Amino acid sequence: MCGRARCTLRADDIPRACRLNGRPLRSINTDRYRPSYNVSPGRDIPVVRREDGSDGDGVVLQCMKWGLIPSFTKKDEKPDHYKMFNARAESIREKASFRRLVPKNRCVVAVEGYYSCCNGNVMLFRFYEWKKDGSKKQPYYIHLKDGRPLVFAALYDTWKNTEGEIHYTFTILTTSSSSTLGWLHDRMPVILGDKESMDTWLFGSPSSKFETVLKPYEGPDLVWYPVTSAMGKPSFDGPECVMEIKLKTEETKPISQFFSKKGVDSEQGSKLGSMHGDLIKNNQPKSLKEEPQTQDSLDHPSVTDEGNDESKPNISTLTNEGAGNLPIKRNYEELSADAKPAGGKAEKPQTSPARKKKNVGPADDKQPTLLSFFGKR
């Protein structure tokens, strides 16, 4: 895929970069061209195409907007140059948007490098590509080692708006990535690396086997390096776009350091634990039945867990000194004697009244029973 490029060439250098020396050349709208380090879809770029209705060697250097707008687009529709700024070379003979353009609307684009590429005609430039790492995207600047411009295969079309203005737009062809760039992206622009491939694409007959040139570029002179992520903003421009940066690598600690740190933490934790244990041990009473003696405990031996909690029974806690002055144990006989009534007769233990059964009460009992109540109903 190609969506950003560097095109800082002068307009008159582009025909030479496309190796078109000696061919008749005509220029159209080249005054619209503005060199830029960060060209994105919607910008005007010089494109080389074949002269209309000519079977000869004449060529045209014309500024076109990057991002194809098909001729069948409605006149009142707002053009979107991001929809078709790339076209898959494998399917240009199948899709209606591109199939009709292959016979006579082929072109080339020349750039110094790319971050991401275009379509259609041949284009010369360097380009940028983004490496996706999770949620982050790292752009790379891709170019030829010796500084020569890159020439891309492209297709162009014309579209007329409601005001009758004719707009020329183009798209850059892409193919599967080369063996050296597969780690970066699965697609790359079609690079026409020699004069023969450029002439085949630009001047070949409709029956030509364009598949021979629409293939990945495997040259060893294609190099790359990381650049600033600010390339994602179309407004970011200037030499800073192609300055190489150093990627931040995550610091990895050796496993020995991990265990040593853990050992230090555990040792500190054990020391803190022992200190805490000593404090608890010193503050605990000597016996579970004993509590630290205070002046209040000596004066008032009976203490409750919650002073204002009347719902809980009071549990007396006796100190060693107060325990000797109070009767701790009483004989069973004394307790039984206190429990007997004064008359000498033992009262019968009170028991809960037995549940009444059916027809248990006497016949003359005037108190209604539960069954009689239901009987009235």
Side-chain angles (χ1 to χ4, degrees), residues 34-276:
R34 298 291 182 272
S36 174
Y37 285 87
N38 188 5
V39 180
S40 59
R43 295 283 295 271
D44 288 291
I45 302 177
V47 172
V48 176
R49 65 175 176 85
R50 195 171 183 175
E51 188 71 71
D52 292 333
S54 173
D55 295 332
D57 298 334
V59 292
V60 178
L61 178 64
Q62 182 175 358
C63 260
M64 301 183 187
K65 285 190 180 296
W66 183 10
L68 189 74
I69 305 298
S71 58
F72 53 78
T73 304
K74 295 180 180 180
K75 293 182 179 181
D76 58 348
E77 186 175 342
K78 185 179 180 180
D80 185 359
H81 296 283
Y82 280 87
K83 275 188 176 181
M84 297 183 185
F85 63 87
N86 284 156
R88 298 175 70 94
E90 300 89 341
S91 59
I92 57 174
R93 292 186 181 274
E94 301 172 3
K95 294 187 177 181
S97 300
F98 311 123
R99 182 176 58 227
R100 57 192 176 79
L101 304 178
V102 175
K104 295 183 178 180
N105 287 42
R106 302 183 304 273
C107 61
V108 294
V109 185
V111 297
E112 297 155 283
Y114 77 95
Y115 313 82
S116 192
C117 244
C118 316
N119 42 11
N121 305 334
V122 181
M123 191 157 49
L124 253 160
F125 61 107
R126 292 192 179 97
F127 64 98
Y128 303 84
E129 191 63 83
W130 273 254
K131 170 65 176 176
K132 191 171 184 180
D133 184 11
S135 60
K136 298 180 180 179
K137 290 184 178 181
Q138 173 60 49
Y140 284 79
Y141 178 59
I142 305 169
H143 62 99
L144 292 175
K145 187 183 298 184
D146 58 3
R148 289 181 294 114
L150 295 167
V151 181
F152 295 154
L155 294 171
Y156 74 94
D157 202 357
T158 58
W159 169 70
K160 184 182 293 186
N161 60 13
T162 54
E163 298 176 356
E165 298 175 344
I166 299 177
H167 294 268
Y168 282 78
T169 60
F170 71 92
T171 181
I172 295 177
L173 301 187
T174 63
T175 184
S176 58
S177 186
S178 65
S179 57
T180 55
L181 282 175
W183 64 275
L184 182 59
H185 203 283
D186 59 347
R187 305 290 296 178
M188 68 179 296
V190 174
I191 300 175
L192 305 175
D194 51 38
K195 179 176 174 54
E196 182 180 357
S197 60
M198 293 181 198
D199 290 344
T200 300
W201 177 250
L202 200 56
F203 301 104
S205 64
S207 60
S208 300
K209 294 183 178 180
F210 298 118
E211 294 77 8
T212 58
V213 297
L214 303 179
K215 58 184 180 180
Y217 182 77
E218 297 287 353
D221 53 347
L222 193 64
V223 294
W224 56 87
Y225 57 80
V227 293
T228 175
S229 58
M231 284 300 309
K233 299 179 181 179
S235 59
F236 184 77
D237 200 356
E240 297 83 4
C241 295
V242 294
M243 291 181 62
E244 184 176 2
I245 64 170
K246 292 183 178 180
L247 298 179
K248 295 181 180 180
T249 56
E250 296 182 0
E251 296 182 0
T252 56
K253 297 181 180 180
I255 192 169
S256 58
Q257 185 178 356
F258 172 77
F259 283 110
S260 62
K261 184 177 180 181
K262 185 176 181 181
V264 172
D265 292 342
S266 62
E267 183 178 355
Q268 293 178 354
S270 62
K271 289 182 179 180
L272 293 175
S274 61
M275 293 174 62
H276 183 66

